[in-house]
Amino acid sequence: MKINAENAGAKRPTTGDGDRAEAMDTSDQDMTLQRINGDQHVDTKMEEDGSDDDDSRAEATFRFTISKFSQMRESTLSPPCMVRNLPWKILAMPRPSNSDPSVKCLGFFLQCNAESDSTTWTCSASAELRLLHRLDPEKHYVKKIHHVFFHKENDWGFAHFKTMKEIVEASNGFCDPVKDSITLEVWVNADAPHGVQWDSKRHTGYVGLKNQGATCYMNSLLQTLFFTNKLRKAVYKMPTDCDDMTKSVPLALQRVFYELQNSEKPVGTKKLTKSFGWETLDTFMQHDVQELCRVLLDNIESKMKGTVVEGTIPTLFEGKMISYVKCKHVNYVSSRTEPFYDVQLNVKDKKNIYESFKDYVSVETLDGDNKYDAGDYGLQEAEKGVKFVSFPPVLHLHLMRFQYDPISDCNVKINDRFEFPEHLELDDFLEQKESTPAHYTLHAVLVHSGDNHGGHYVVFINPRVDGKWCKFDDDVVSRCTKKDAIDNNFGGDSDDVASRTCTNAYMLVYIRDSDKDDVLQAVEAADIPESLVARLMDEKRLEAIRKRERQEAHLYMTLNVVSEEEFYRHQHFDLCNIEKAEVKQFQVKKNTFLRDFPETVCRAFKCSSGQARLWLFHIRSNNTIRVKHVDSAMLDKTLRDIAEASDQNIFFLAEMPCGTATALQQYDPDSDVLVLFKYYDPKGRCLTYVGHVFAKLKEPLSHLFPEMRRRAGLPADAELLVHEEVCPGSVNVLADHDKALEAALDSPDDGDILVFQSTCRRDLGWVWTTSTSRRRVGPRHSQRRQSRSTTDRSLRHRCLSAG
C-alpha cells in the first residue's frame, strides 16, 4: 500500500487497499504492507550468518535483538548489513491495530539504502522477515515479501506483523522473560542494483549493454550471440573495411562485440540500431526477438559469403527436419527436407520441454473433410507430421508464450508453469540416431517479465557451460545461482515469492555436449583483425575528441576569418556578402589574447609566421560593412572581453602579403589610411575589386592614380573618374584630384572604398545621360559628359546595373 510520506518515524494510518506487495503470512494476522521510515536507534546487536564477507554478495541473513521490548515506544533501526553494495537494515516500531487502536502491534520492515541522496537507484529483492522462537526453529514466525526498492519506497514490510501481546506472552516463546528482549531476523536476496555504482566487470568479468529506452530484448539477444564464441570469432573476420560506418550492420555488430570483449563499462548500441535504419522512436518499441534473431543471422550469413568464414551460420545453427504426408491406404508418401534455425515449442497445457517436443513431432490425421489430395489417388486419409533428421550444435528453442486469443481478439501471454532441464537429451526425437548423442547443456535463458503489452527482458547465461551463471540485466551484470537462472523462470504459480507469475523463460539456448569445446572456443585478442582494431580505435579517438569539445564548448568561442579573396569574388557594393562568403572558422579559448591569434591564422592560411594582419569587420552607422584597424589596446584584450563588448559575431579580415610580395606593406596608423580600390568597367558594366593600398592622409588624391591604373591595367596616361562609395546605391564624385586625401574624402577612415573608371572614349562605352535615355557617346557629347552631375549619375547607374 502506498502512503504519502510524512515525517520520519511518524505513525500513519492505512488509507485503503491500493497496491499490495507480494507477501505470504504463516498466520491469520493482518497482512497490510506499508512504507514506514524510522530514524531512531536503540542499543542493538546484529549477527550475520555465513562466511562471505563480500559486500557485493547476492544474499545474507542478519539478526537484530531489541532489549526492553515491552517498553518500546518509538521506531528503531539495526546496524547495516551490506548486500549488493547497499546497506540493509531492520526497522521495527510499535503500531496501533487498525481494528482496535488500543491493541499494539509490532511493525517490522526491511529498509534499503535509506540514507542515500540519490533519486535514481533501484534494487529488486525478495526477503523473509522472521520473529525467532527462543527454543524451536520450527516455530519461527515468518512472512515473505518481494519489492523493488527505490528512493521513495526504501523500506517495505508489515505494519502489523504480530500483536505485542502475543509476542511478550511467555508461552509463545518469542520474548525472553528475563531480558525482555526479542530477536528479529531477515534473509534477503537482492538483484544487482541500477542507478548506483556497480562494477560489473570487477564482480563478474563481463559488462552489460545500455538500454536506449526499450531495447532490453535486443540486449538479451546480443549477449546470447556474443557468448556463442565461434560466432563471435567469425563476426570479427567479416570484411568490413569499405563499409559505411553508419549503415553497415556487420560493422556495427563487430563494434558491439569488440567493446563487450574489451570495455570496462557498459556498451552502447545506438550505432547498431542506427545501422538497422531505426529512428529514435523505434528504440522505445519492443520488437519480436525471434524475428530480430533471424534478421541478424541472415545479414551476417550474407556478409560471410565468399569469405574464409562462409558457412559459419548454418554450421552452428542449422538443423534439418522432414515434413511428410503418408497415405494410410495407398502407397503414397510426400516429403520434403527443410533446414531450421530454431524450434518453436508450445507451452500451453504442456508440463515440460519433452512434452512440447512430443507435441511437435506428433502425427496429425487427415480424414473426413480434411482428406489429403494424393493426385492420381484422389482424396485419401493420411498422416501428417515432421521428423527431425539432425539437431545443430547450437539449438535455439522459442517458447510460444505469446499467442492469439480468439475470445479477447488479441495476443495474450501464457504464464503457465513450463519446466526445462539443465541437461537435455533429444535422441528419441530423431528419425535415426546420429553418430554422436543429441545431448545438450543449457547455455542461456532469455526471460520476460510482464504481459503482452510490454515488460522487461533479461538473460541468464552460463558462459562456459560449467554451472556458473550470470544475470545480464541491460547495463548490470551479476553472479546468480542455478536456481535463479532455471527454476525461478519456469513460470506459473508458486509459494516462493521470488517466482513471480508473470516472469518466465521465452527462449532457451542449448549447446550440444559433443560440440561444446568448438562452439565455446576461446576468443583472444589475436583473433581480431588488426585493421578492424585500428578502425575502431580511430573511431574511439575521434569520439573522445568530439566529447571533450562538447564538454569544453563553454570555454571556447568562434572567430570568423575572411581572406581578401572574398573581396575579389564580390562584384557588387560593399566589400563582400558575409552570409555567402567562404568563412574560415576557428574555435579559440575565450581567455586567449587577441595578440596570439594571428599565428593561428598564419598556420591555417599557410603563410609565414608574423605575416598575417587582422582587420576587424564592423558595421558603420549607414549600415555598410567596412574594416577597421585592430590597435594595440585591442590586441591586449582577451577574446572574452572583445565578445562582451560587441553585440554581433566577430569577423576578421586576414591581410597577407599580396602577389609575389614576401612581407606585409608598412602601415602607420597615425599617418596612413587603408584604402580599397574598385574598378568599374563600362563595357562589361561590372564592378571589380582590385586590391588595397595604405595611403598617406596628407598626400593629394592624384598620388593614387598611377597605382589605380596599374591595378586596372589602364594606360599610364588614362584619364580617371574617381568616386567614394558611401553606401549601396550612393557614390560621391571626387572632382578635385589635388586635394589631400583627408580633405577629399567625406570622413577618412580605414576601409574607405574608392571606385574609379577610365574617361577615354574607347573605354567609356555606354553612359547614362541626365534624361536617363541610353545613347552612344560621340565626339560632340564628350564635353557634356565630363560635367560633374552627369558623370556622377553615370557611374551611380552603372554601379546599380552591375549590382
Side-chain angles (χ1 to χ4, degrees), residues 746-775:
D746 185 27
S747 298
D749 198 1
D750 288 322
D752 283 343
I753 301 174
L754 295 183
V755 183
F756 65 94
Q757 71 178 96
S758 171
T759 62
C760 298
R761 177 181 174 183
R762 65 178 182 274
D763 296 325
L764 192 58
W766 296 97
V767 298
W768 288 90
T769 66
T770 53
S771 62
T772 68
S773 59
R774 184 182 299 184
R775 298 179 57 193

mmCIF file of all heavy atoms in Angstrom, residues 746-775:
data_model
loop_
_atom_site.group_PDB
_atom_site.id
_atom_site.type_symbol
_atom_site.label_atom_id
_atom_site.label_comp_id
_atom_site.label_asym_id
_atom_site.label_seq_id
_atom_site.Cartn_x
_atom_site.Cartn_y
_atom_site.Cartn_z
ATOM 1 N N ASP A 746 35.008 62.098 -47.461
ATOM 2 C CA ASP A 746 33.965 62.645 -46.595
ATOM 3 C C ASP A 746 34.391 62.563 -45.124
ATOM 4 O O ASP A 746 34.437 63.568 -44.427
ATOM 5 C CB ASP A 746 32.659 61.881 -46.814
ATOM 6 C CG ASP A 746 31.513 62.488 -46.031
ATOM 7 O OD1 ASP A 746 31.559 63.699 -45.770
ATOM 8 O OD2 ASP A 746 30.570 61.746 -45.687
ATOM 9 N N SER A 747 34.697 61.380 -44.650
ATOM 10 C CA SER A 747 35.213 61.165 -43.286
ATOM 11 C C SER A 747 36.262 60.078 -43.391
ATOM 12 O O SER A 747 35.968 58.885 -43.254
ATOM 13 C CB SER A 747 34.088 60.749 -42.339
ATOM 14 O OG SER A 747 33.116 61.747 -42.225
ATOM 15 N N PRO A 748 37.481 60.452 -43.703
ATOM 16 C CA PRO A 748 38.516 59.443 -43.977
ATOM 17 C C PRO A 748 38.701 58.466 -42.816
ATOM 18 O O PRO A 748 38.821 58.881 -41.659
ATOM 19 C CB PRO A 748 39.760 60.290 -44.223
ATOM 20 C CG PRO A 748 39.475 61.605 -43.585
ATOM 21 C CD PRO A 748 38.015 61.822 -43.702
ATOM 22 N N ASP A 749 38.669 57.178 -43.172
ATOM 23 C CA ASP A 749 38.859 56.145 -42.154
ATOM 24 C C ASP A 749 39.314 54.869 -42.854
ATOM 25 O O ASP A 749 39.117 54.692 -44.063
ATOM 26 C CB ASP A 749 37.542 55.910 -41.404
ATOM 27 C CG ASP A 749 37.771 55.186 -40.084
ATOM 28 O OD1 ASP A 749 38.929 54.895 -39.750
ATOM 29 O OD2 ASP A 749 36.766 54.903 -39.379
ATOM 30 N N ASP A 750 39.910 53.990 -42.094
ATOM 31 C CA ASP A 750 40.333 52.712 -42.657
ATOM 32 C C ASP A 750 39.123 52.009 -43.262
ATOM 33 O O ASP A 750 38.031 52.001 -42.691
ATOM 34 C CB ASP A 750 40.944 51.834 -41.567
ATOM 35 C CG ASP A 750 42.321 52.327 -41.134
ATOM 36 O OD1 ASP A 750 43.062 52.771 -42.009
ATOM 37 O OD2 ASP A 750 42.618 52.265 -39.921
ATOM 38 N N GLY A 751 39.354 51.431 -44.438
ATOM 39 C CA GLY A 751 38.297 50.676 -45.098
ATOM 40 C C GLY A 751 37.492 51.468 -46.093
ATOM 41 O O GLY A 751 36.545 50.928 -46.689
ATOM 42 N N ASP A 752 37.835 52.760 -46.314
ATOM 43 C CA ASP A 752 37.120 53.539 -47.322
ATOM 44 C C ASP A 752 37.342 52.933 -48.703
ATOM 45 O O ASP A 752 38.428 52.417 -49.012
ATOM 46 C CB ASP A 752 37.589 54.991 -47.310
ATOM 47 C CG ASP A 752 36.995 55.769 -46.135
ATOM 48 O OD1 ASP A 752 36.001 55.282 -45.551
ATOM 49 O OD2 ASP A 752 37.523 56.834 -45.794
ATOM 50 N N ILE A 753 36.303 53.009 -49.551
ATOM 51 C CA ILE A 753 36.351 52.394 -50.884
ATOM 52 C C ILE A 753 36.344 53.501 -51.937
ATOM 53 O O ILE A 753 35.472 54.371 -51.933
ATOM 54 C CB ILE A 753 35.152 51.461 -51.110
ATOM 55 C CG1 ILE A 753 35.127 50.350 -50.051
ATOM 56 C CG2 ILE A 753 35.186 50.868 -52.510
ATOM 57 C CD1 ILE A 753 33.900 49.476 -50.116
ATOM 58 N N LEU A 754 37.359 53.465 -52.833
ATOM 59 C CA LEU A 754 37.419 54.372 -53.974
ATOM 60 C C LEU A 754 37.084 53.585 -55.236
ATOM 61 O O LEU A 754 37.697 52.544 -55.513
ATOM 62 C CB LEU A 754 38.802 55.001 -54.099
ATOM 63 C CG LEU A 754 39.233 55.932 -52.946
ATOM 64 C CD1 LEU A 754 40.590 56.544 -53.257
ATOM 65 C CD2 LEU A 754 38.201 57.013 -52.700
ATOM 66 N N VAL A 755 36.093 54.104 -55.988
ATOM 67 C CA VAL A 755 35.690 53.476 -57.244
ATOM 68 C C VAL A 755 36.169 54.379 -58.379
ATOM 69 O O VAL A 755 35.912 55.581 -58.380
ATOM 70 C CB VAL A 755 34.164 53.307 -57.311
ATOM 71 C CG1 VAL A 755 33.774 52.587 -58.593
ATOM 72 C CG2 VAL A 755 33.661 52.544 -56.086
ATOM 73 N N PHE A 756 36.879 53.820 -59.370
ATOM 74 C CA PHE A 756 37.388 54.617 -60.472
ATOM 75 C C PHE A 756 37.075 53.952 -61.804
ATOM 76 O O PHE A 756 36.838 52.739 -61.869
ATOM 77 C CB PHE A 756 38.894 54.855 -60.312
ATOM 78 C CG PHE A 756 39.731 53.602 -60.397
ATOM 79 C CD1 PHE A 756 40.307 53.209 -61.615
ATOM 80 C CD2 PHE A 756 39.968 52.809 -59.274
ATOM 81 C CE1 PHE A 756 41.086 52.070 -61.688
ATOM 82 C CE2 PHE A 756 40.746 51.673 -59.356
ATOM 83 C CZ PHE A 756 41.310 51.300 -60.561
ATOM 84 N N GLN A 757 37.086 54.796 -62.851
ATOM 85 C CA GLN A 757 36.913 54.281 -64.200
ATOM 86 C C GLN A 757 37.645 55.214 -65.177
ATOM 87 O O GLN A 757 37.991 56.340 -64.840
ATOM 88 C CB GLN A 757 35.425 54.211 -64.574
ATOM 89 C CG GLN A 757 34.774 55.568 -64.791
ATOM 90 C CD GLN A 757 33.332 55.451 -65.202
ATOM 91 O OE1 GLN A 757 32.461 55.542 -64.352
ATOM 92 N NE2 GLN A 757 33.106 55.265 -66.498
ATOM 93 N N SER A 758 37.893 54.678 -66.350
ATOM 94 C CA SER A 758 38.590 55.466 -67.377
ATOM 95 C C SER A 758 37.593 56.392 -68.067
ATOM 96 O O SER A 758 36.434 56.054 -68.273
ATOM 97 C CB SER A 758 39.239 54.538 -68.407
ATOM 98 O OG SER A 758 39.729 55.281 -69.502
ATOM 99 N N THR A 759 38.073 57.577 -68.463
ATOM 100 C CA THR A 759 37.218 58.520 -69.202
ATOM 101 C C THR A 759 37.490 58.492 -70.686
ATOM 102 O O THR A 759 36.895 59.244 -71.449
ATOM 103 C CB THR A 759 37.435 59.947 -68.678
ATOM 104 O OG1 THR A 759 38.792 60.324 -68.893
ATOM 105 C CG2 THR A 759 37.076 60.044 -67.207
ATOM 106 N N CYS A 760 38.411 57.620 -71.133
ATOM 107 C CA CYS A 760 38.707 57.504 -72.564
ATOM 108 C C CYS A 760 37.475 57.009 -73.302
ATOM 109 O O CYS A 760 36.713 56.183 -72.807
ATOM 110 C CB CYS A 760 39.872 56.545 -72.808
ATOM 111 S SG CYS A 760 41.422 57.096 -72.060
ATOM 112 N N ARG A 761 37.278 57.557 -74.558
ATOM 113 C CA ARG A 761 36.088 57.203 -75.332
ATOM 114 C C ARG A 761 35.987 55.703 -75.548
ATOM 115 O O ARG A 761 34.932 55.102 -75.435
ATOM 116 C CB ARG A 761 36.110 57.949 -76.673
ATOM 117 C CG ARG A 761 34.954 57.591 -77.589
ATOM 118 C CD ARG A 761 35.055 58.347 -78.876
ATOM 119 N NE ARG A 761 34.008 57.881 -79.793
ATOM 120 C CZ ARG A 761 33.881 58.316 -81.027
ATOM 121 N NH1 ARG A 761 34.725 59.230 -81.492
ATOM 122 N NH2 ARG A 761 32.905 57.866 -81.803
ATOM 123 N N ARG A 762 37.120 55.100 -75.881
ATOM 124 C CA ARG A 762 37.079 53.664 -76.171
ATOM 125 C C ARG A 762 36.776 52.837 -74.921
ATOM 126 O O ARG A 762 36.359 51.701 -75.014
ATOM 127 C CB ARG A 762 38.410 53.219 -76.784
ATOM 128 C CG ARG A 762 39.602 53.349 -75.830
ATOM 129 C CD ARG A 762 40.882 52.835 -76.485
ATOM 130 N NE ARG A 762 42.011 52.902 -75.584
ATOM 131 C CZ ARG A 762 42.770 53.967 -75.408
ATOM 132 N NH1 ARG A 762 42.493 55.096 -76.093
ATOM 133 N NH2 ARG A 762 43.787 53.963 -74.563
ATOM 134 N N ASP A 763 36.997 53.443 -73.779
ATOM 135 C CA ASP A 763 36.732 52.723 -72.539
ATOM 136 C C ASP A 763 35.371 53.050 -71.963
ATOM 137 O O ASP A 763 34.773 52.267 -71.253
ATOM 138 C CB ASP A 763 37.795 53.061 -71.493
ATOM 139 C CG ASP A 763 39.172 52.590 -71.928
ATOM 140 O OD1 ASP A 763 39.213 51.529 -72.581
ATOM 141 O OD2 ASP A 763 40.157 53.246 -71.582
ATOM 142 N N LEU A 764 34.863 54.282 -72.300
ATOM 143 C CA LEU A 764 33.646 54.720 -71.638
ATOM 144 C C LEU A 764 32.421 53.965 -72.126
ATOM 145 O O LEU A 764 31.596 53.548 -71.359
ATOM 146 C CB LEU A 764 33.460 56.221 -71.863
ATOM 147 C CG LEU A 764 32.387 56.886 -71.001
ATOM 148 C CD1 LEU A 764 32.679 56.681 -69.542
ATOM 149 C CD2 LEU A 764 32.283 58.366 -71.352
ATOM 150 N N GLY A 765 32.308 53.755 -73.449
ATOM 151 C CA GLY A 765 31.182 52.986 -73.981
ATOM 152 C C GLY A 765 29.868 53.658 -73.680
ATOM 153 O O GLY A 765 29.672 54.826 -73.973
ATOM 154 N N TRP A 766 28.951 52.920 -73.082
ATOM 155 C CA TRP A 766 27.616 53.420 -72.781
ATOM 156 C C TRP A 766 27.646 54.284 -71.532
ATOM 157 O O TRP A 766 28.301 54.000 -70.557
ATOM 158 C CB TRP A 766 26.645 52.258 -72.559
ATOM 159 C CG TRP A 766 26.450 51.428 -73.783
ATOM 160 C CD1 TRP A 766 27.072 50.282 -74.099
ATOM 161 C CD2 TRP A 766 25.581 51.723 -74.864
ATOM 162 N NE1 TRP A 766 26.660 49.809 -75.308
ATOM 163 C CE2 TRP A 766 25.728 50.673 -75.815
ATOM 164 C CE3 TRP A 766 24.698 52.769 -75.175
ATOM 165 C CZ2 TRP A 766 25.024 50.622 -77.003
ATOM 166 C CZ3 TRP A 766 23.995 52.708 -76.354
ATOM 167 C CH2 TRP A 766 24.155 51.643 -77.254
ATOM 168 N N VAL A 767 26.851 55.394 -71.588
ATOM 169 C CA VAL A 767 26.708 56.251 -70.413
ATOM 170 C C VAL A 767 25.228 56.519 -70.209
ATOM 171 O O VAL A 767 24.413 56.319 -71.097
ATOM 172 C CB VAL A 767 27.445 57.595 -70.573
ATOM 173 C CG1 VAL A 767 28.923 57.376 -70.739
ATOM 174 C CG2 VAL A 767 26.874 58.410 -71.734
ATOM 175 N N TRP A 768 24.915 56.954 -68.978
ATOM 176 C CA TRP A 768 23.550 57.387 -68.692
ATOM 177 C C TRP A 768 23.529 58.901 -68.746
ATOM 178 O O TRP A 768 24.294 59.578 -68.085
ATOM 179 C CB TRP A 768 23.113 56.926 -67.288
ATOM 180 C CG TRP A 768 22.866 55.466 -67.222
ATOM 181 C CD1 TRP A 768 23.751 54.516 -66.928
ATOM 182 C CD2 TRP A 768 21.642 54.814 -67.477
ATOM 183 N NE1 TRP A 768 23.201 53.289 -66.979
ATOM 184 C CE2 TRP A 768 21.864 53.421 -67.310
ATOM 185 C CE3 TRP A 768 20.358 55.240 -67.850
ATOM 186 C CZ2 TRP A 768 20.880 52.480 -67.488
ATOM 187 C CZ3 TRP A 768 19.374 54.285 -68.010
ATOM 188 C CH2 TRP A 768 19.628 52.909 -67.831
ATOM 189 N N THR A 769 22.649 59.445 -69.594
ATOM 190 C CA THR A 769 22.529 60.908 -69.688
ATOM 191 C C THR A 769 21.622 61.405 -68.574
ATOM 192 O O THR A 769 21.023 60.620 -67.840
ATOM 193 C CB THR A 769 21.926 61.304 -71.048
ATOM 194 O OG1 THR A 769 20.587 60.826 -71.109
ATOM 195 C CG2 THR A 769 22.740 60.726 -72.188
ATOM 196 N N THR A 770 21.519 62.755 -68.501
ATOM 197 C CA THR A 770 20.684 63.328 -67.450
ATOM 198 C C THR A 770 19.225 62.975 -67.625
ATOM 199 O O THR A 770 18.455 62.965 -66.683
ATOM 200 C CB THR A 770 20.826 64.868 -67.450
ATOM 201 O OG1 THR A 770 20.578 65.350 -68.766
ATOM 202 C CG2 THR A 770 22.217 65.254 -67.021
ATOM 203 N N SER A 771 18.828 62.666 -68.891
ATOM 204 C CA SER A 771 17.435 62.281 -69.137
ATOM 205 C C SER A 771 17.220 60.785 -68.985
ATOM 206 O O SER A 771 16.142 60.288 -69.274
ATOM 207 C CB SER A 771 17.010 62.711 -70.550
ATOM 208 O OG SER A 771 17.812 62.041 -71.514
ATOM 209 N N THR A 772 18.322 60.074 -68.563
ATOM 210 C CA THR A 772 18.314 58.626 -68.309
ATOM 211 C C THR A 772 18.055 57.810 -69.555
ATOM 212 O O THR A 772 17.792 56.632 -69.484
ATOM 213 C CB THR A 772 17.262 58.227 -67.252
ATOM 214 O OG1 THR A 772 15.961 58.428 -67.796
ATOM 215 C CG2 THR A 772 17.445 59.011 -65.978
ATOM 216 N N SER A 773 18.125 58.437 -70.784
ATOM 217 C CA SER A 773 17.997 57.640 -72.010
ATOM 218 C C SER A 773 19.379 57.203 -72.441
ATOM 219 O O SER A 773 20.339 57.962 -72.340
ATOM 220 C CB SER A 773 17.331 58.477 -73.120
ATOM 221 O OG SER A 773 18.089 59.620 -73.396
ATOM 222 N N ARG A 774 19.484 55.973 -72.918
ATOM 223 C CA ARG A 774 20.794 55.440 -73.291
ATOM 224 C C ARG A 774 21.140 55.898 -74.699
ATOM 225 O O ARG A 774 20.348 55.745 -75.623
ATOM 226 C CB ARG A 774 20.770 53.908 -73.235
ATOM 227 C CG ARG A 774 22.135 53.299 -73.513
ATOM 228 C CD ARG A 774 22.103 51.790 -73.507
ATOM 229 N NE ARG A 774 21.692 51.261 -72.220
ATOM 230 C CZ ARG A 774 21.663 49.965 -71.963
ATOM 231 N NH1 ARG A 774 21.998 49.097 -72.898
ATOM 232 N NH2 ARG A 774 21.279 49.535 -70.774
ATOM 233 N N ARG A 775 22.368 56.465 -74.864
ATOM 234 C CA ARG A 775 22.828 56.907 -76.193
ATOM 235 C C ARG A 775 24.281 56.511 -76.357
ATOM 236 O O ARG A 775 25.039 56.408 -75.413
ATOM 237 C CB ARG A 775 22.719 58.428 -76.332
ATOM 238 C CG ARG A 775 21.284 58.952 -76.213
ATOM 239 C CD ARG A 775 21.268 60.438 -76.329
ATOM 240 N NE ARG A 775 21.879 60.861 -77.594
ATOM 241 C CZ ARG A 775 22.221 62.115 -77.866
ATOM 242 N NH1 ARG A 775 22.029 63.058 -76.960
ATOM 243 N NH2 ARG A 775 22.747 62.436 -79.025
#
